[in-house]
Amino acid sequence: MTQHIHTLLVANRGEIALRVMKTAQTMGIRCVAVYSEADARAPFVDFADEAVCIGPAAASESYLKVDHILDAARKTGANAIHPGYGFLSENTELAERCEAEGIHFVGPPAASIAAMGSKSAAKALMEKAGVPLVPGYHGDDQSADRFRQEAEHTGFPLLIKASAGGGGKGMRVVRSLAEVDDAVAAAQREATSSFGDPHLLIERYLENPRHVEVQVMFDKHGNGRYLFDRDCSVQRRHQKIIEEAPAPNIPDDVRREMGEAAVRCGEAIGYVGAGTVEFLYEPGAGFYFMEMNTRLQVEHPVTELITGLDLVEWQLKVAQGETLPWSQDALHYSGHAMEARVYAEDPDNDFLPVTGTLFSLSEPDNLPGVRVDSGVCQGQEITPWYDPMLAKVIAYGHTRDEARQRLVDALAHYRALGVTLNIDYVCRVLEHTEFAEGRLTTHFIEQQADSLAKQAFDHREQMALSWLAWYRATNSALLAEAASRWTSPWTAGDSYRLGGPCSQRCELRIGSEDDTLHYWLESTGHGKVQLDSEDRSIALNWRDDPDSDGVIVRLNGRTVKLGWAAHGERLGVFANAVHWEALVNHPEEQAGDAAGDGQLKAPMHGRITAVSCQPGDTVDAGTSLVALEAMKMEHTLRAPVKGTIAAVHCNEGDNVGSGQVLVEFEAEEAS
């Protein structure tokens, strides 16, 4: 019997909360968001029909409080709770208490969650259900003698790991009998510390396996279906980086057997709803059960794109008691999909999470075949309280390579100023020959570490691209005006002078690197740059990018999608998927502005190191008026035209802000 859901509380945050609510609202279901104090202004809170604050920023005091979640459900009249993933999504207490209070839990029964909560118990169940297991030991006898005995029986290399754990904790690779005792003792200590449970299991260690998982869906009437597979082999520290569906280079008979084994897994524990059965797959050797995730997966969109199904919609329909309408033979997939997780983290600094404010944000949600599941907005603070994933970018193509190329292009158009992102590193993986050819393994990142560490642009290329980004950003209004009317020498945004183009000076800083360059604008869309420290120049040719507000540049034989964003004196430069910040000073432009309004302003924050004028002085164009130290460089600000100093508003040693008026003058009228 169908039991209608009229109000859904989403017990999660960020992109998954938004993603669930978007589907629920299209089904006519009212949505309630719960949020911590740190998330008060997050997009998912604004999107909901109603929102309830459930505690302080710390997840242990808000998103992990079952009582707070249920209190919010009662206050808002919610008759269903969707847990998303993470937090309470695999929490038996929440599932049990929802059932006791007559609230739909959009997930499996508590007993199913519990059955998969222990890796050892789950493997015992799977063995009875005829699901292939990696050879090993997962018994209750945890003595050192038994581990040595089972290690010899399993064979080397083998993996010792915590039964209750995940994320690589309590895990050791052992390659000989002599290593077993120390590895067991160390793994038990770590398992106790991390999970409060020292129980271990042993498995044969597969040297080059793939991580392949199967999406399943069960209704409340005993019907189970598999919705095909995904490959999630590319990982770092057991955390997925790129996911794709279907898993490439798997024989059809193996794909079918894996799907059928996943359904048997769900049947063995009375499963209901969406779940994922994870396998280790070694070509030529077979596949082996690893674990079951009793919830929606982060990577579920790739399955949605190849099947045409909305998994959240079917989670909600199943929770209401509806029957799955398709036979297994009626289900098909087409094309290929890939997903990349966009994290606020620094891949070149050991992937450390990064906090900050998203001063500018542009997501590629208008490109063909591209979907963006985002949880952030421009102006939002990225805090240290939660997982640093900002969004997921998913690309669909008729072939794997089309999906891969579309994903690379989409990531090149994902642009944020204010935090460091991982997308450059993700693109290095996507463009790696081994990945492009589908030669995948869970050790991919370690095996390709040297080639993945290679930077896309050297110092001089970064300087040249930073200059062009600055030039386009500061001249956008002029260029737009020139394009809208008849073009004449007076509206051209170049450096034309009688006798030919003339170089202009520009000072830049990227990170801790300072440099001075000269540039020549030879014609519209053509220029060259030369650093003071080098004799040779760099040629750049550019044209407008039809997919964004940026330009497409030819630089040293490469095509670069270049974008930019400014916040105060900060200039964000986006070159393909590489992001960096630059500080740019340009005395000539400063002087040109001053000529028009009679004011000489500080081009950026800095300290006055010299004032060489006073009121009443008559000065020629180009006369030095003020010296400003900024970015560890001294910048000379000069009179833009001949005239008389009217007022001086700064003194040596003053700290001044960007745009602050330093000198006023009266220009001499032309005779």
Side-chain angles (χ1 to χ4, degrees):
M1 183 177 70
T2 301
Q3 300 168 314
H4 181 64
I5 295 174
H6 55 77
T7 303
L8 176 70
L9 184 148
V10 182
N12 217 296
R13 63 177 301 278
E15 67 86 18
I16 187 56
L18 266 173
R19 188 265 169 277
V20 170
M21 287 190 283
K22 286 177 180 177
T23 286
Q25 287 186 351
T26 63
M27 297 172 67
I29 299 172
R30 178 171 167 269
C31 293
V32 175
V34 291
Y35 65 94
S36 74
E37 293 170 358
D39 278 336
R41 297 183 180 180
F44 77 94
V45 177
D46 292 336
F47 188 85
D49 297 293
E50 185 174 356
V52 179
C53 183
I54 54 171
S60 60
E61 298 300 319
S62 52
Y63 295 110
L64 291 173
K65 285 285 190 182
V66 174
D67 286 341
H68 294 191
I69 300 292
L70 292 172
D71 284 346
R74 296 186 201 101
K75 288 176 184 175
T76 57
N79 69 333
I81 292 178
H82 193 303
Y85 49 70
F87 292 139
L88 296 171
S89 62
E90 295 177 283
N91 182 278
T92 55
E93 181 188 353
L94 179 60
E96 288 169 347
R97 291 183 62 180
C98 282
E99 184 177 356
E101 297 195 24
I103 297 173
H104 296 288
F105 179 72
V106 185
S112 298
I113 298 174
M116 288 296 165
S118 164
K119 287 184 173 62
S120 295
K123 288 180 184 295
L125 277 171
M126 294 305 100
E127 193 170 33
K128 291 180 182 177
V131 179
L133 301 178
V134 177
Y137 170 71
H138 44 82
D140 292 330
D141 185 348
Q142 297 282 292
S143 66
D145 288 343
R146 185 60 182 269
F147 277 122
R148 283 194 298 272
Q149 178 185 337
E150 294 295 342
E152 281 193 285
H153 182 259
T154 301
F156 299 93
L158 57 81
L159 187 66
I160 295 173
K161 63 181 181 179
S163 175
K169 295 182 174 65
M171 189 178 292
R172 296 291 187 279
V173 176
V174 177
R175 298 188 179 277
S176 70
L177 186 61
E179 300 174 27
V180 171
D181 286 354
D182 288 344
V184 165
Q188 284 176 332
R189 287 192 300 271
E190 195 168 291
T192 302
S193 173
S194 299
F195 313 113
D197 183 353
H199 200 95
L200 304 178
L201 56 87
I202 288 178
E203 291 178 347
R204 170 68 68 82
Y205 180 66
L206 305 178
E207 293 284 6
N208 279 297
R210 289 170 57 184
H211 179 133
V212 179
E213 59 190 34
V214 177
Q215 177 71 57
V216 295
M217 183 72 75
F218 285 80
D219 62 25
K220 293 182 178 180
H221 312 287
N223 302 303
R225 305 288 184 263
Y226 64 88
L227 306 180
F228 309 105
D229 44 76
R230 302 183 284 256
D231 192 294
C232 307
S233 297
V234 180
Q235 306 175 7
R236 59 168 183 80
R237 299 177 191 152
H238 307 282
Q239 297 294 315
K240 300 166 186 173
I241 296 178
I242 298 169
E243 303 103 347
E244 59 182 298
N249 303 327
I250 292 184
D252 289 342
D253 58 335
V254 175
R255 199 182 300 278
R256 184 186 66 255
E257 290 169 9
M258 201 178 294
E260 292 171 351
V263 171
R264 291 198 302 274
C265 173
E267 290 172 341
I269 60 173
Y271 200 77
V272 173
T276 299
V277 183
E278 300 189 342
F279 296 99
L280 288 174
Y281 168 65
E282 198 160 51
F287 62 89
Y288 307 99
F289 173 82
M290 185 165 53
E291 63 183 347
M292 183 177 189
N293 289 304
T294 54
R295 53 172 168 79
L296 194 67
Q297 291 279 90
V298 177
E299 58 270 23
H300 75 274
V302 294
T303 294
E304 293 183 323
L305 290 182
I306 67 167
T307 61
L309 299 172
D310 184 325
L311 297 187
V312 172
E313 177 187 3
W314 277 102
Q315 281 188 297
L316 295 170
K317 287 182 174 181
V318 164
Q320 292 180 135
E322 294 189 33
T323 302
L324 297 180
W326 348 275
S327 66
Q328 188 65 59
D329 290 341
L331 290 166
H332 301 282
Y333 67 86
S334 63
H336 203 96
M338 282 189 187
E339 174 181 291
R341 305 183 187 194
V342 178
Y343 280 94
E345 64 181 11
D346 187 353
D348 296 320
N349 189 19
D350 201 27
F351 293 92
L352 287 177
V354 176
T355 59
T357 301
L358 288 171
F359 296 119
S360 174
L361 177 66
S362 176
E363 296 179 310
D365 49 11
N366 60 344
L367 299 179
V370 173
R371 163 179 164 179
V372 179
D373 285 11
S374 179
V376 293
C377 63
Q378 187 165 300
Q380 186 173 343
E381 188 78 17
I382 306 304
T383 72
W385 294 104
Y386 313 112
D387 184 277
M389 187 172 75
L390 307 187
K392 302 179 305 196
V393 180
I394 313 103
Y396 174 84
H398 297 293
T399 64
R400 181 177 186 267
D401 201 56
E402 183 179 34
R404 184 184 67 85
Q405 291 179 7
R406 281 181 167 176
L407 184 53
V408 170
D409 184 58
L411 291 172
H413 285 96
Y414 195 106
R415 294 164 181 174
L417 171 62
V419 295
T420 302
L421 300 180
N422 68 324
I423 58 176
D424 170 30
Y425 187 86
V426 173
C427 281
R428 294 180 216 172
V429 174
L430 289 167
E431 295 182 303
H432 196 285
T433 302
E434 293 290 302
F435 182 90
E437 295 181 359
R439 292 195 287 268
L440 307 175
T441 166
T442 55
H443 305 307
F444 182 92
I445 296 298
E446 294 83 8
Q447 291 171 351
Q448 310 300 335
D450 290 343
S451 55
L452 291 174
K454 186 178 180 181
Q455 300 293 319
F457 301 101
D458 62 25
H459 169 72
R460 59 200 303 272
E461 290 173 327
Q462 281 194 312
M463 286 290 175
L465 291 168
S466 297
W467 163 77
L468 180 56
W470 167 83
Y471 167 72
R472 290 286 303 204
T474 55
N475 288 278
S476 57
L478 175 63
L479 294 168
E481 181 184 357
S484 67
R485 63 183 186 176
W486 176 74
T487 301
S488 75
W490 316 113
T491 59
D494 59 22
S495 54
Y496 177 79
R497 299 287 189 276
L498 289 175
C502 180
S503 73
Q504 299 189 68
R505 186 167 176 265
C506 186
E507 296 159 323
L508 292 104
R509 167 182 257 193
I510 299 174
S512 59
E513 297 257 8
D514 296 330
D515 222 321
T516 301
L517 56 80
H518 295 267
Y519 66 89
W520 293 261
L521 287 164
E522 298 172 326
S523 61
T524 302
H526 301 277
K528 63 180 180 180
V529 168
Q530 183 172 321
L531 303 183
D532 268 4
S533 55
E534 297 189 2
D535 295 330
R536 47 192 184 126
S537 62
I538 306 170
L540 300 102
N541 301 310
W542 62 90
R543 57 183 171 84
D544 289 341
D545 183 352
D547 296 326
S548 72
D549 294 331
V551 294
I552 296 174
V553 186
R554 286 293 293 173
L555 171 69
N556 290 338
R558 286 192 293 170
T559 298
V560 181
K561 295 180 187 294
L562 183 68
W564 52 83
H567 180 79
E569 66 186 48
R570 302 168 70 163
L571 176 69
V573 183
F574 315 125
N576 290 342
V578 187
H579 293 189
W580 66 84
E581 286 191 22
L583 291 173
V584 185
N585 183 36
H586 195 280
E588 289 80 5
E589 183 186 79
Q590 176 69 39
D593 290 344
D597 62 11
Q599 296 179 333
L600 190 69
K601 300 174 184 177
M604 62 181 65
H605 295 295
R607 185 175 66 87
I608 302 298
T609 56
V611 178
S612 51
C613 63
Q614 58 185 8
D617 287 354
T618 299
V619 296
D620 292 322
T623 301
S624 172
L625 303 181
V626 176
L628 173 74
E629 184 184 78
M631 303 187 314
K632 296 184 179 178
M633 292 188 291
E634 185 168 274
H635 310 279
T636 300
L637 307 184
R638 303 177 184 277
V641 292
K642 186 175 182 179
T644 302
I645 303 300
V648 177
H649 299 290
C650 61
N651 296 294
E652 185 176 335
D654 286 354
N655 289 311
V656 297
S658 178
Q660 183 173 329
V661 177
L662 306 179
V663 177
E664 294 183 68
F665 61 89
E666 296 174 358
E668 181 179 299
E669 292 185 12
S671 58

